[in-house]
Amino acid sequence: MTRDVTTRRARRTGRRMTAAVAAAALVALAACTTGGGGDGEPEGLEQTTGAMESFEADQQFKATEPVSFSMLWTDWPELPIKDSWQQFDEIEKRTNVSLDLTNIPFSDAVEKRSLLLSAGDAPYIIPLVYTGEEKSFAASGAVLPLSDYEEYMPNFQKYVEEWDLRPMIDNLRQADGKYYMMPGLQEVSVPVFTLLVRKDVFDEVGAPIPETWDELRAGLEKIKAKYPDSYPLADGFEGQSMLNYASHAFGTRAGWGFGDGTFFDEESGEFVYAATSDGYKKMVEYFHGLVEDGLLDPESFTATNDGAGTVTEKFAAEEVFAASGANGTVQEFSTALDETVGKGNHEVVQIAPPGGEAGQIVEPRNFWNGFMVNSEAKDDPNFIALLQFLDWLYYNPDAREMLRWGVEGETYTKSEDGKFTLEPGYSLDAFNINFGAGTDIAKDLGFSSEVLAGSTESRALKESYNSPQFVEYIDSVLSTRTPRDPFPPAPLNEAELEQASLLTTTLADTVNTNTLKFILGERDLSEWDAYVAELEGQNLQGYLDLVNGAHQRFAESNG
């Protein structure tokens, strides 16, 4: 069960990331000074009932009188919410705030959230929001411009500065110069999905752990020679994961990270379309070559699965020796191999995404999920208390530890050197900590929930519940890879966003269809120019004109 849970979580994360990146790229939010855009004092500042007179970073927030705030809660199938969850009792004990939850299922959470906000029925607190997902709600006025209220969130301000995130925060700003969601802050950011390899098999055939895609191919060729019936490389996410983390090394973007399809060309100072670039073509040629030579399982791009079936079984059967995955997938593959080759007879490791012609490049540094606030909240007498509470909940270190580990001295202990240890009788099965020992702090108590726990994390907190191998992965990425610089802002206005949305849908469909055909050999690579012409016939230039016009407009307005 644990193996399935961690992989389903990884797959869902990937899909949410895809939607978020696409939306964020379309908006291409403007960078400017804090609180910029608009005139006049923000609304709601007089609504101070329950608020602390003096509230500072790293201070325990506690409302001066009992208050209740409404919150949208997404129910995970494998983690159904319980009325008995201690997490909510502990929040109320520490803050004097009770949470009134509106529950929605994960399966259609984005749609349900949109309907609630559009109808004016949404709770005050809207969690589990990824950057870019707020754009339509900001345009309609359904959510508040939280940049107007940053001064009431001292923890947010402190860690934005300490972790050097201000330029990224400024890139959240929309065309009016304001941002409408508070993101989850990450002290360190590494790709969630990357390549997992059977290190013991690479060692067996004399292949080093690959640092580049060319080195990977050389290793796959040796494995193919040793295991001729295998397809050494696979992807359990319809190719979208592998193309995403591979694309940066080829100087382009693809798969889950394709977004709106634009890529900023430093040389020309303009946005180009990634899927028509030389880098994209070289990436397609590379993967086509792997398929043609029997080194990449073609079902990686055609088999619809959740990442927990076909590839895991092939990994266990030694038909695949390298595949896409996240931290939890390492354990999944390892446990499956225990059953087939025996414990101690294999070693699965998560490696930094290989480099290529563009260098040892990985995705830009990212935020994680954060929250929006319903615009109606500004009229609540407890509005400032709400802001203080959210600042504590999302950004205070003590709150973050509680949301992940529970109650110190009860569910866990923390040593002087910062090591977390679950108390006897408690487990965190999803991360194989004291597996099956008794009370699961997630399932039974509500801690380590997807909705709140992972949003903001220091490096120490992130490492506290992950495996030593994942810590090594973090170190390897930070020491050997360079995040791609974020693209400059090109904020589209409301009318342009509508035009762009229509164009990108058609263009992306053509890209996805033909990327698959080229890689699988169903369309000859000699037809690349014809494919580009098809995109041009779908008004590709008109789309690029929109984006570059917005980019130029912003540059002129901001020097």
Side-chain angles (χ1 to χ4, degrees):
M1 179 177 293
T2 302
R3 297 197 304 273
D4 291 342
V5 166
T6 54
T7 302
R8 285 199 298 269
R9 179 181 296 116
R11 175 174 56 86
R12 287 168 177 151
T13 297
R15 289 180 177 175
R16 292 295 296 269
M17 288 169 64
T18 306
V21 169
L26 257 185
V27 180
L29 303 177
C32 54
T33 58
T34 300
D39 298 317
E41 187 177 78
E43 296 181 85
L45 301 187
E46 72 284 357
Q47 309 285 21
T48 59
T49 303
M52 296 175 62
E53 282 191 26
S54 177
F55 178 55
E56 299 176 352
D58 300 332
Q59 179 183 5
Q60 174 62 52
F61 166 77
K62 190 159 190 175
T64 59
E65 60 183 56
V67 296
S68 178
F69 296 130
S70 55
M71 173 184 276
L72 194 63
W73 189 269
T74 300
D75 290 323
W76 252 251
E78 63 266 16
L79 197 63
I81 193 169
K82 299 178 181 178
D83 291 337
S84 60
W85 271 3
Q86 184 182 358
Q87 172 183 249
F88 300 117
D89 295 333
E90 189 64 25
I91 290 173
E92 185 171 5
K93 176 182 175 182
R94 298 189 188 200
T95 66
N96 220 8
V97 173
S98 62
L99 292 171
D100 178 17
L101 303 181
T102 295
N103 298 76
I104 56 176
F106 182 92
S107 59
D108 59 353
V110 173
E111 292 80 5
K112 286 279 173 52
R113 180 181 66 193
S114 180
L115 288 172
L116 286 168
L117 278 165
S118 299
D121 296 329
Y124 284 171
I125 305 168
I126 315 293
L128 213 65
V129 178
Y130 292 82
T131 54
E133 291 183 338
E134 79 283 13
K135 66 183 184 68
S136 62
F137 308 119
S140 68
V143 296
L144 289 174
L146 292 176
S147 53
D148 283 351
Y149 305 99
E150 188 181 304
E151 66 179 288
Y152 297 94
M153 309 188 82
N155 288 290
F156 173 81
Q157 290 180 315
K158 175 180 178 178
Y159 292 101
V160 163
E161 301 309 321
E162 284 194 5
W163 296 346
D164 193 26
L165 300 172
R166 180 57 64 185
M168 292 170 60
I169 293 294
D170 285 338
N171 266 347
L172 295 179
R173 298 179 186 277
Q174 302 203 34
D176 63 358
K178 302 183 181 187
Y179 58 83
Y180 288 75
M181 64 90 69
M182 289 284 195
L185 307 180
Q186 300 286 305
E187 183 177 9
V188 294
S189 176
V190 296
V192 174
F193 289 85
T194 183
L195 194 63
L196 314 183
V197 302
R198 278 281 302 272
K199 183 179 183 300
D200 58 298
V201 174
F202 274 73
D203 290 343
E204 176 190 1
V205 300
I209 294 299
E211 293 292 329
T212 67
W213 287 98
D214 286 342
E215 288 182 9
L216 175 64
R217 181 186 174 92
L220 297 176
E221 289 172 347
K222 292 182 178 181
I223 293 173
K224 181 74 172 180
K226 177 74 175 179
Y227 299 88
D229 294 332
S230 72
Y231 286 108
L233 179 64
D235 181 279
F237 305 93
E238 301 172 52
Q240 297 301 293
S241 175
M242 188 172 294
L243 291 180
N244 176 31
Y245 61 79
S247 64
H248 305 288
F250 289 88
T252 188
R253 58 195 301 203
W256 280 338
F258 188 67
D260 73 344
T262 62
F263 194 95
F264 189 72
D265 181 58
E266 296 284 351
E267 202 170 298
S268 67
E270 292 187 340
F271 284 91
V272 298
Y273 200 58
T276 63
S277 67
D278 289 341
Y280 198 95
K281 182 181 181 183
K282 289 177 180 178
M283 179 193 70
V284 167
E285 289 173 338
Y286 174 84
F287 284 106
H288 167 74
L290 294 185
V291 171
E292 188 174 44
D293 294 343
L295 303 175
L296 171 59
D297 187 352
E299 288 190 0
S300 296
F301 296 87
T302 59
T304 301
N305 63 65
D306 64 0
T310 306
V311 173
T312 302
E313 292 169 0
K314 290 179 178 180
F315 221 88
E318 297 196 303
E319 297 170 357
V320 166
F321 299 93
S324 299
N327 180 33
T329 323
V330 175
Q331 182 63 36
E332 178 191 337
F333 286 171
S334 297
T335 304
L337 285 164
D338 287 345
E339 300 296 322
T340 56
V341 304
K343 291 184 179 180
N345 295 326
H346 59 83
E347 183 180 5
V348 182
V349 297
Q350 182 176 17
I351 69 171
E357 289 189 16
Q360 301 298 95
I361 305 296
V362 295
E363 65 188 37
R365 190 177 179 187
N366 287 325
F367 291 122
W368 204 230
N369 63 74
F371 63 91
M372 301 182 294
V373 175
N374 187 331
S375 60
E376 295 177 0
K378 69 182 182 304
D379 301 319
D380 191 289
N382 303 120
F383 176 57
I384 298 302
L386 171 65
L387 296 176
Q388 292 177 343
F389 168 72
L390 287 171
D391 182 58
W392 175 83
L393 187 70
Y394 272 84
Y395 307 112
N396 177 281
D398 291 337
R400 303 313 303 168
E401 288 186 9
M402 178 269 292
L403 291 170
R404 175 60 67 186
W405 286 98
V407 181
E408 186 171 8
E410 182 179 334
T411 61
Y412 76 95
T413 58
K414 184 179 179 183
S415 65
E416 290 185 3
D417 63 359
K419 181 180 179 181
F420 291 77
T421 303
L422 282 179
E423 291 280 26
Y426 291 95
S427 70
L428 182 53
D429 289 354
F431 291 93
N432 293 291
I433 301 174
N434 290 0
F435 186 83
T439 300
D440 187 314
I441 65 169
K443 297 173 187 174
D444 300 322
L445 304 180
F447 302 111
S448 281
S449 73
E450 298 290 346
V451 178
L452 293 176
S455 178
T456 291
E457 289 185 317
S458 65
R459 178 171 182 174
L461 183 59
K462 184 185 294 292
E463 293 181 353
S464 70
Y465 61 92
N466 277 299
S467 67
Q469 196 278 328
F470 183 69
V471 175
E472 292 176 9
Y473 167 67
I474 293 175
D475 289 337
S476 69
V477 173
L478 296 179
S479 62
T480 67
R481 301 295 187 264
T482 302
R484 174 177 60 74
D485 290 334
F487 299 144
L492 302 174
N493 60 38
E494 190 172 1
E496 290 169 338
L497 279 170
E498 286 189 23
Q499 296 177 61
S501 179
L502 294 172
L503 290 170
T504 52
T505 298
T506 302
L507 292 168
D509 285 345
T510 300
V511 170
N512 291 334
T513 298
N514 286 280
T515 297
L516 176 66
K517 287 183 176 180
F518 283 133
I519 289 175
L520 296 181
E522 295 173 0
R523 185 173 187 179
D524 196 276
L525 284 162
S526 64
E527 296 186 31
W528 180 265
D529 290 344
Y531 149 74
V532 172
E534 290 164 18
L535 291 171
E536 290 172 344
Q538 294 169 343
N539 200 16
L540 173 59
Q541 189 57 52
Y543 171 58
L544 291 174
D545 287 345
L546 279 177
V547 176
N548 282 308
H551 167 57
Q552 184 176 359
R553 182 174 63 225
F554 175 82
E556 291 172 351
S557 299
N558 292 271

